[in-house]
Amino acid sequence: MNFRRKLALWLEKLRRNNLKQLHPLRQLFWESTLRCNVHCLHCGSDCIASTETPDMPAMDFLHVIDTEITPHVDPHKVMVIISGGEPLMRKDLTDVGRALMQRGYPWGMVTNGLALTEKKFFELRQAGLRSLTISCDGLEEDHNWLRQHPLAFESATRTIRLCVAEKGLVWDVVTCVNQRTINHLPAIRDMLWSLGVCDWRVFSIDPMGRAAENPELILSDDQFRYLMDFIVAEREAGRQVSYSCEGYLGEYEGRVRDHLYHCAAGISIASVLIDGSISACTSIRGKYYQGNIYRNSFWDIWEHGFKPYRDRTWMRQLEPCKNCKVFSFCEGNGMHLRREDGSLMLCHLHRLTPHS
């Protein structure tokens, strides 16, 4: 790694340490439902169409917004991201969006597009929908296989076309790459670009949730390196392609995304989960919950909790971080990759480092 990149990483570390002290709330996820209209093979939450877990009442979430968050923040600087499950399973989604807009909060969501009709799309835009992320995981056969629905691809591409024609909406496409699609990346790129996509985020799948039972979804080390090389080449060709926000990537830092690696969970990102649990990004589970909106003050938790997130030196006691020379830059990888006992599911740097 050259001197300039090392210097950039040290400056990023200083910036990150300062951010931990300030911990400004910038993104708030709301896990609004566990219901979903597809049955994705890689789902981390094991969402299904009918679930015993009821949707959180909208007024419970808005009460947190009104009493716990708005008095302490500039609403215009906090992006609310409505997640699931599939947010469009909620009949009151437009009403919730409008309520957030009236309170000054920009909001967005992640969708598979299956229930997003043209009418519903423009209703949501009128209700203040600011950003949208569309999942499209490959060409038609592969996408429908991963999503386990025969109309998944048709719905995703229809949603992309709606976004292309809509001015003022911030949107992108996310693709979860697996062993079945890794060799189709150029074809997937060409398909997305032909639809009008200009911003493409590429994810690798982690061994959690249903994906833990589907080893063919997890890239080999060689395939993972190929993915990084593909993204580098795309960016050098002037296309807006980037890798997901997770994982310190060693020699690829500064080359595969617009920012250097940092995990903002619990530092500038929080979430309210379906049962009221207070957490960081919605992929983080178990012992890393910090409280519950039905028992605790959200803002008190945000100000005085989240210690495992903001001081990650505890990870240095565990392998493979124990003797790692770049822990200062990585800080133990993303919190969503930590199991209940604190152990790490996988190390991105290890996957990219040649070893016998």
Side-chain angles (χ1 to χ4, degrees), residues 201-252:
R201 276 188 295 153
V202 183
F203 282 61
S204 51
I205 298 173
D206 301 319
M208 62 176 64
R210 291 183 195 142
E213 307 301 320
N214 288 280
E216 67 181 313
L217 299 182
I218 313 301
L219 298 179
S220 69
D221 292 353
D222 287 342
Q223 290 170 330
F224 187 61
R225 178 175 282 276
Y226 169 80
L227 176 61
M228 295 298 107
D229 289 334
F230 172 82
I231 296 172
V232 169
E234 290 297 301
R235 291 172 67 85
E236 289 178 349
R239 287 182 277 268
Q240 185 56 39
V241 182
S242 61
Y243 183 59
S244 70
C245 60
E246 68 176 32
Y248 173 73
L249 302 171
E251 65 183 277
Y252 290 98

Coordinates of all heavy atoms in Angstrom, one line a residue, residues 201-252:
R201 N -24.8 -0.5 -6.9 CA -24.1 -1.0 -5.7 C -24.1 -2.5 -5.7 O -25.1 -3.2 -5.8 CB -24.7 -0.5 -4.4 CG -24.2 0.9 -4.0 CD -24.7 1.2 -2.6 NE -26.2 1.3 -2.5 CZ -26.9 1.1 -1.4 NH1 -26.3 0.7 -0.3 NH2 -28.2 1.2 -1.5
V202 N -22.9 -3.1 -5.5 CA -22.8 -4.6 -5.6 C -22.4 -5.1 -4.2 O -21.5 -4.6 -3.5 CB -21.7 -4.9 -6.6 CG1 -21.6 -6.4 -6.7 CG2 -22.0 -4.3 -8.0
F203 N -23.1 -6.1 -3.8 CA -22.9 -6.7 -2.5 C -22.5 -8.2 -2.7 O -22.9 -8.8 -3.6 CB -24.3 -6.8 -1.7 CG -24.6 -5.5 -1.1 CD1 -24.9 -4.3 -1.8 CD2 -24.8 -5.4 0.3 CE1 -25.2 -3.1 -1.3 CE2 -25.2 -4.2 0.9 CZ -25.4 -3.0 0.1
S204 N -21.7 -8.6 -1.7 CA -21.5 -10.1 -1.6 C -22.4 -10.5 -0.5 O -22.8 -9.7 0.4 CB -20.0 -10.4 -1.3 OG -19.6 -9.6 -0.2
I205 N -22.7 -11.8 -0.5 CA -23.7 -12.3 0.5 C -22.9 -12.9 1.7 O -22.0 -13.6 1.5 CB -24.6 -13.4 -0.1 CG1 -25.4 -12.7 -1.3 CG2 -25.5 -14.0 0.9 CD1 -26.3 -13.7 -2.1
D206 N -23.4 -12.6 2.9 CA -22.8 -13.1 4.1 C -23.5 -14.3 4.7 O -24.7 -14.5 4.4 CB -22.8 -12.0 5.2 CG -22.1 -10.7 4.7 OD1 -21.0 -10.8 4.1 OD2 -22.6 -9.6 5.0
P207 N -22.8 -15.2 5.4 CA -23.4 -16.4 5.9 C -24.3 -16.2 7.1 O -23.9 -16.7 8.2 CB -22.1 -17.3 6.2 CG -21.1 -16.3 6.6 CD -21.3 -15.1 5.7
M208 N -25.4 -15.6 6.9 CA -26.3 -15.3 8.0 C -27.7 -15.6 7.5 O -28.0 -15.6 6.3 CB -26.2 -13.9 8.5 CG -26.5 -12.8 7.5 SD -26.5 -11.2 8.2 CE -24.8 -11.0 8.7
G209 N -28.7 -15.8 8.4 CA -30.0 -16.1 8.0 C -30.1 -17.3 7.1 O -29.4 -18.3 7.3
R210 N -31.0 -17.2 6.1 CA -31.1 -18.3 5.2 C -29.9 -18.6 4.4 O -29.6 -19.7 4.0 CB -32.3 -18.0 4.2 CG -33.6 -18.0 4.8 CD -34.7 -17.8 3.8 NE -36.0 -17.5 4.4 CZ -36.9 -16.6 4.0 NH1 -36.6 -16.0 2.8 NH2 -38.0 -16.3 4.6
A211 N -29.0 -17.6 4.1 CA -27.8 -17.8 3.4 C -26.9 -18.7 4.1 O -26.0 -19.4 3.4 CB -27.1 -16.4 3.1
A212 N -26.9 -18.8 5.4 CA -26.1 -19.8 6.1 C -26.4 -21.2 5.7 O -25.5 -22.1 5.9 CB -26.3 -19.6 7.6
E213 N -27.6 -21.5 5.2 CA -27.9 -22.8 4.8 C -27.8 -23.0 3.3 O -28.1 -24.1 2.7 CB -29.4 -23.1 5.2 CG -29.7 -22.8 6.6 CD -28.9 -23.7 7.6 OE1 -28.6 -24.8 7.2 OE2 -28.4 -23.2 8.6
N214 N -27.3 -22.0 2.6 CA -27.1 -22.0 1.1 C -25.7 -21.7 0.7 O -25.4 -20.6 0.3 CB -28.1 -21.1 0.4 CG -29.5 -21.5 0.5 OD1 -29.9 -22.4 -0.3 ND2 -30.3 -21.0 1.4
P215 N -24.7 -22.6 0.9 CA -23.3 -22.3 0.6 C -23.0 -21.8 -0.8 O -22.0 -21.1 -1.0 CB -22.6 -23.7 0.9 CG -23.7 -24.7 0.9 CD -24.9 -24.0 1.3
E216 N -23.9 -22.2 -1.8 CA -23.6 -21.7 -3.1 C -23.9 -20.2 -3.3 O -23.5 -19.6 -4.3 CB -24.5 -22.5 -4.1 CG -26.0 -22.2 -4.0 CD -26.9 -22.9 -5.0 OE1 -26.5 -23.0 -6.2 OE2 -27.9 -23.5 -4.6
L217 N -24.4 -19.6 -2.3 CA -24.6 -18.1 -2.3 C -23.3 -17.4 -1.9 O -23.2 -16.2 -2.2 CB -25.8 -17.7 -1.4 CG -27.1 -18.3 -1.7 CD1 -28.2 -17.8 -0.7 CD2 -27.6 -18.0 -3.1
I218 N -22.4 -18.1 -1.2 CA -21.2 -17.4 -0.7 C -20.1 -17.5 -1.7 O -19.7 -18.6 -2.1 CB -20.8 -18.0 0.7 CG1 -22.1 -18.2 1.6 CG2 -19.7 -17.2 1.3 CD1 -22.8 -16.9 1.9
L219 N -19.5 -16.4 -2.0 CA -18.4 -16.4 -3.0 C -17.2 -17.0 -2.4 O -16.9 -16.9 -1.2 CB -18.1 -15.0 -3.4 CG -19.2 -14.2 -4.1 CD1 -18.6 -12.8 -4.5 CD2 -19.6 -14.9 -5.4
S220 N -16.4 -17.7 -3.2 CA -15.1 -18.2 -2.8 C -14.2 -17.0 -2.7 O -14.5 -15.9 -3.2 CB -14.6 -19.3 -3.8 OG -14.2 -18.6 -5.0
D221 N -13.0 -17.2 -2.1 CA -12.0 -16.2 -2.0 C -11.6 -15.7 -3.4 O -11.5 -14.4 -3.6 CB -10.8 -16.6 -1.2 CG -11.1 -16.9 0.3 OD1 -12.2 -16.6 0.7 OD2 -10.2 -17.4 1.0
D222 N -11.4 -16.6 -4.3 CA -11.0 -16.2 -5.7 C -12.1 -15.4 -6.3 O -11.9 -14.4 -7.0 CB -10.6 -17.4 -6.5 CG -9.3 -18.0 -6.1 OD1 -8.5 -17.3 -5.4 OD2 -9.1 -19.2 -6.4
Q223 N -13.3 -15.8 -6.1 CA -14.5 -15.1 -6.7 C -14.6 -13.7 -6.1 O -15.0 -12.7 -6.8 CB -15.8 -15.9 -6.5 CG -15.8 -17.1 -7.4 CD -17.0 -18.0 -7.0 OE1 -17.4 -18.1 -5.9 NE2 -17.5 -18.8 -8.0
F224 N -14.4 -13.6 -4.8 CA -14.5 -12.3 -4.1 C -13.4 -11.3 -4.6 O -13.7 -10.2 -4.9 CB -14.3 -12.5 -2.6 CG -14.5 -11.3 -1.8 CD1 -15.8 -10.6 -1.8 CD2 -13.5 -10.7 -1.0 CE1 -16.0 -9.5 -1.0 CE2 -13.7 -9.6 -0.2 CZ -15.0 -9.0 -0.3
R225 N -12.2 -11.8 -4.9 CA -11.2 -11.0 -5.5 C -11.6 -10.6 -6.9 O -11.3 -9.4 -7.3 CB -9.8 -11.7 -5.4 CG -8.7 -10.8 -6.1 CD -7.3 -11.5 -5.9 NE -6.8 -11.3 -4.6 CZ -6.1 -10.2 -4.2 NH1 -5.9 -9.2 -5.1 NH2 -5.6 -10.1 -3.0
Y226 N -12.1 -11.5 -7.6 CA -12.6 -11.2 -9.0 C -13.6 -10.0 -8.9 O -13.6 -9.1 -9.8 CB -13.2 -12.4 -9.7 CG -13.9 -12.1 -11.0 CD1 -13.2 -11.9 -12.1 CD2 -15.3 -12.0 -11.0 CE1 -13.9 -11.6 -13.3 CE2 -16.0 -11.7 -12.2 CZ -15.3 -11.5 -13.3 OH -15.9 -11.2 -14.5
L227 N -14.5 -10.1 -7.9 CA -15.5 -9.1 -7.8 C -14.9 -7.7 -7.6 O -15.3 -6.7 -8.2 CB -16.5 -9.4 -6.6 CG -17.5 -8.4 -6.3 CD1 -18.5 -8.1 -7.4 CD2 -18.3 -8.8 -5.0
M228 N -13.9 -7.7 -6.7 CA -13.2 -6.4 -6.4 C -12.5 -5.9 -7.7 O -12.6 -4.7 -8.0 CB -12.1 -6.6 -5.3 CG -12.7 -6.9 -4.0 SD -13.7 -5.7 -3.3 CE -15.3 -6.5 -3.4
D229 N -11.9 -6.8 -8.5 CA -11.2 -6.4 -9.7 C -12.2 -5.9 -10.7 O -11.9 -4.9 -11.5 CB -10.4 -7.5 -10.3 CG -9.1 -7.9 -9.4 OD1 -8.6 -6.9 -8.7 OD2 -8.7 -9.0 -9.5
F230 N -13.3 -6.5 -10.8 CA -14.4 -6.1 -11.7 C -14.8 -4.6 -11.4 O -15.0 -3.8 -12.3 CB -15.6 -7.0 -11.6 CG -16.8 -6.5 -12.4 CD1 -16.9 -6.7 -13.8 CD2 -17.8 -5.9 -11.8 CE1 -18.0 -6.3 -14.5 CE2 -18.9 -5.4 -12.5 CZ -19.0 -5.6 -13.9
I231 N -15.1 -4.4 -10.1 CA -15.5 -3.0 -9.7 C -14.5 -2.0 -10.0 O -14.8 -0.9 -10.4 CB -15.9 -3.0 -8.2 CG1 -17.1 -4.0 -7.9 CG2 -16.2 -1.6 -7.7 CD1 -17.4 -4.2 -6.5
V232 N -13.2 -2.3 -9.7 CA -12.1 -1.4 -10.0 C -12.1 -1.0 -11.5 O -12.0 0.2 -11.8 CB -10.7 -2.0 -9.6 CG1 -9.6 -1.1 -10.1 CG2 -10.6 -2.0 -8.0
A233 N -12.2 -2.0 -12.3 CA -12.2 -1.8 -13.8 C -13.4 -0.9 -14.2 O -13.2 0.0 -15.1 CB -12.2 -3.1 -14.5
E234 N -14.5 -1.2 -13.6 CA -15.7 -0.4 -14.0 C -15.6 1.1 -13.6 O -15.9 2.0 -14.3 CB -17.0 -1.0 -13.3 CG -17.4 -2.3 -13.8 CD -17.8 -2.3 -15.3 OE1 -18.8 -1.5 -15.6 OE2 -17.2 -2.9 -16.1
R235 N -15.0 1.3 -12.4 CA -14.8 2.7 -11.9 C -13.8 3.4 -12.8 O -13.9 4.6 -13.1 CB -14.5 2.7 -10.4 CG -15.6 2.2 -9.6 CD -15.2 2.0 -8.1 NE -14.8 3.3 -7.5 CZ -15.7 4.1 -6.9 NH1 -17.0 3.8 -6.9 NH2 -15.3 5.2 -6.3
E236 N -12.7 2.7 -13.1 CA -11.7 3.3 -14.0 C -12.3 3.6 -15.4 O -11.8 4.5 -16.0 CB -10.5 2.3 -14.1 CG -9.7 2.3 -12.8 CD -8.6 1.3 -12.9 OE1 -8.5 0.5 -13.9 OE2 -7.7 1.3 -11.9
A237 N -13.3 2.9 -15.8 CA -14.0 3.2 -17.1 C -15.0 4.3 -16.9 O -15.7 4.6 -17.9 CB -14.6 1.9 -17.6
G238 N -15.1 4.9 -15.7 CA -16.0 6.0 -15.5 C -17.4 5.6 -15.1 O -18.3 6.5 -15.1
R239 N -17.7 4.4 -14.8 CA -19.1 4.0 -14.4 C -19.2 4.0 -12.9 O -18.3 3.7 -12.2 CB -19.4 2.6 -15.0 CG -19.7 2.6 -16.5 CD -20.0 1.2 -17.0 NE -18.9 0.4 -17.2 CZ -18.2 0.3 -18.4 NH1 -18.6 1.0 -19.4 NH2 -17.2 -0.5 -18.5
Q240 N -20.4 4.4 -12.4 CA -20.7 4.6 -11.0 C -21.1 3.2 -10.5 O -22.3 2.9 -10.3 CB -21.8 5.6 -10.8 CG -22.0 5.9 -9.3 CD -20.8 6.3 -8.5 OE1 -20.0 7.1 -9.1 NE2 -20.6 5.9 -7.3
V241 N -20.1 2.4 -10.2 CA -20.3 1.1 -9.6 C -19.5 1.1 -8.3 O -18.4 1.6 -8.3 CB -19.8 -0.1 -10.5 CG1 -20.0 -1.4 -9.9 CG2 -20.4 0.0 -11.9
S242 N -20.1 0.5 -7.2 CA -19.4 0.5 -6.0 C -19.7 -0.7 -5.2 O -20.7 -1.4 -5.4 CB -19.7 1.8 -5.1 OG -21.1 1.8 -4.8
Y243 N -18.8 -1.1 -4.3 CA -19.0 -2.2 -3.4 C -19.8 -1.7 -2.2 O -19.8 -0.5 -1.9 CB -17.7 -2.8 -3.0 CG -17.8 -4.1 -2.1 CD1 -18.6 -5.2 -2.5 CD2 -17.3 -4.1 -0.8 CE1 -18.7 -6.3 -1.7 CE2 -17.5 -5.2 0.0 CZ -18.2 -6.3 -0.5 OH -18.4 -7.4 0.3
S244 N -20.4 -2.6 -1.5 CA -21.2 -2.3 -0.3 C -20.4 -1.6 0.7 O -19.1 -1.6 0.6 CB -21.9 -3.5 0.2 OG -20.9 -4.4 0.8
C245 N -21.0 -1.1 1.8 CA -20.3 -0.3 2.8 C -19.5 -1.2 3.8 O -18.8 -0.7 4.6 CB -21.3 0.5 3.6 SG -22.6 -0.5 4.5
E246 N -19.6 -2.5 3.7 CA -19.0 -3.4 4.7 C -17.5 -3.8 4.4 O -17.1 -3.8 3.2 CB -19.8 -4.6 4.9 CG -19.8 -5.6 3.7 CD -20.5 -6.9 4.1 OE1 -21.5 -6.8 4.8 OE2 -20.2 -7.9 3.5
G247 N -16.8 -4.0 5.4 CA -15.5 -4.7 5.3 C -14.3 -3.8 4.9 O -14.4 -3.1 3.9
Y248 N -13.2 -3.9 5.7 CA -12.0 -3.3 5.3 C -11.4 -4.1 4.2 O -11.2 -5.3 4.3 CB -11.0 -3.2 6.5 CG -9.7 -2.7 6.2 CD1 -9.4 -1.4 5.9 CD2 -8.6 -3.6 6.1 CE1 -8.2 -0.9 5.5 CE2 -7.3 -3.1 5.8 CZ -7.1 -1.8 5.5 OH -5.8 -1.4 5.2
L249 N -10.9 -3.5 3.1 CA -10.5 -4.2 1.9 C -9.1 -4.1 1.5 O -8.7 -4.4 0.4 CB -11.4 -3.8 0.7 CG -12.9 -3.9 0.9 CD1 -13.7 -3.3 -0.2 CD2 -13.3 -5.4 1.1
G250 N -8.2 -3.6 2.4 CA -6.8 -3.6 2.2 C -6.4 -2.8 1.0 O -6.8 -1.6 0.9
E251 N -5.8 -3.4 0.0 CA -5.3 -2.7 -1.2 C -6.4 -2.1 -2.1 O -6.2 -1.3 -2.9 CB -4.4 -3.7 -2.1 CG -5.2 -4.8 -2.6 CD -4.4 -5.8 -3.4 OE1 -4.2 -5.5 -4.6 OE2 -4.0 -6.8 -2.9
Y252 N -7.6 -2.6 -1.8 CA -8.8 -2.1 -2.6 C -9.4 -0.9 -2.0 O -10.3 -0.3 -2.6 CB -9.8 -3.2 -2.8 CG -9.3 -4.3 -3.7 CD1 -8.8 -5.5 -3.2 CD2 -9.4 -4.1 -5.1 CE1 -8.3 -6.5 -4.0 CE2 -8.9 -5.2 -5.9 CZ -8.4 -6.3 -5.4 OH -8.0 -7.3 -6.2

